[in-house]
Amino acid sequence: MNVEARLKHLGIELPPPPSPVGNYTAGTVVGNLVFMSGCGPRKPDNTSITGKVGTDLTTDQAYQAARLVGLNMLANVKSLIGDLDRVKKVVKVLGMVNAAPDFKEHPRVMNGFSDLMVAVFGEEAGRGGRSAVGMGSLPMQIAVEVEMILELK
């Protein structure tokens, strides 16, 4: 099943790709690698899911925010490379969680992103290396930001 068919089967419609909020591009292709810039949980109404996980947001709410980041990231990837079927492998994911100092469930939050990548690309292609780290703050107080490196076919 190709990626577009899998998205349809999962009932997922990708949002329009969010525009960068600074002086950078959404991603850069170098050879057969795609380096995606940090992406946040921007909603269709152009607002974002904000707040500190562990005080303002629960782990489950942050999981959903990370999933939303994944949808936005997929929209950016598709806009950059034209066809998601060109993705061979998720190589590396860096997940940054805007977390309270005593928050401990960063990996569970980032599963919102990673679970989506596995659902879309499959177990082998959708799972790569990953870091899930806590941050004292993120731009505009967004709850989660993710960077990703992909390998192209």
Side-chain angles (χ1 to χ4, degrees), residues 4-140:
E4 291 295 332
R6 191 172 290 132
L7 287 169
K8 188 174 181 174
H9 175 74
L10 295 168
I12 295 173
E13 185 176 329
L14 294 180
S19 299
V21 295
N23 188 13
Y24 61 92
T25 62
T28 301
V29 177
V30 178
N32 68 334
L33 295 177
V34 181
F35 296 84
M36 296 304 298
S37 295
C39 189
R42 194 171 312 170
K43 298 185 277 188
D45 67 1
N46 216 28
T47 63
S48 294
I49 298 174
T50 60
K52 282 214 177 288
V53 183
T55 55
D56 305 318
L57 298 168
T58 67
T59 300
D60 290 337
Q61 289 170 319
Y63 175 99
Q64 292 303 321
R67 185 179 187 283
L68 179 57
V69 173
L71 294 172
N72 288 324
M73 184 70 78
L74 290 172
N76 278 342
V77 170
K78 183 176 179 179
S79 176
L80 183 65
I81 66 170
D83 183 354
L84 291 175
D85 283 313
R86 291 185 60 205
V87 173
K88 179 177 180 180
K89 175 89 176 137
V90 172
V91 175
K92 175 73 170 140
V93 171
L94 169 61
M96 297 162 277
V97 180
N98 186 0
D102 61 345
F103 185 72
K104 298 175 184 162
E105 298 182 308
H106 307 78
R108 282 190 55 210
V109 170
M110 283 309 304
N111 283 344
F113 184 93
S114 297
D115 291 349
L116 178 66
M117 294 303 121
V118 168
V120 170
F121 295 115
E123 185 75 25
E124 188 63 33
R127 260 176 98 191
R130 185 183 83 180
S131 298
V133 297
M135 299 292 176
S137 69
L138 287 172
M140 296 164 285

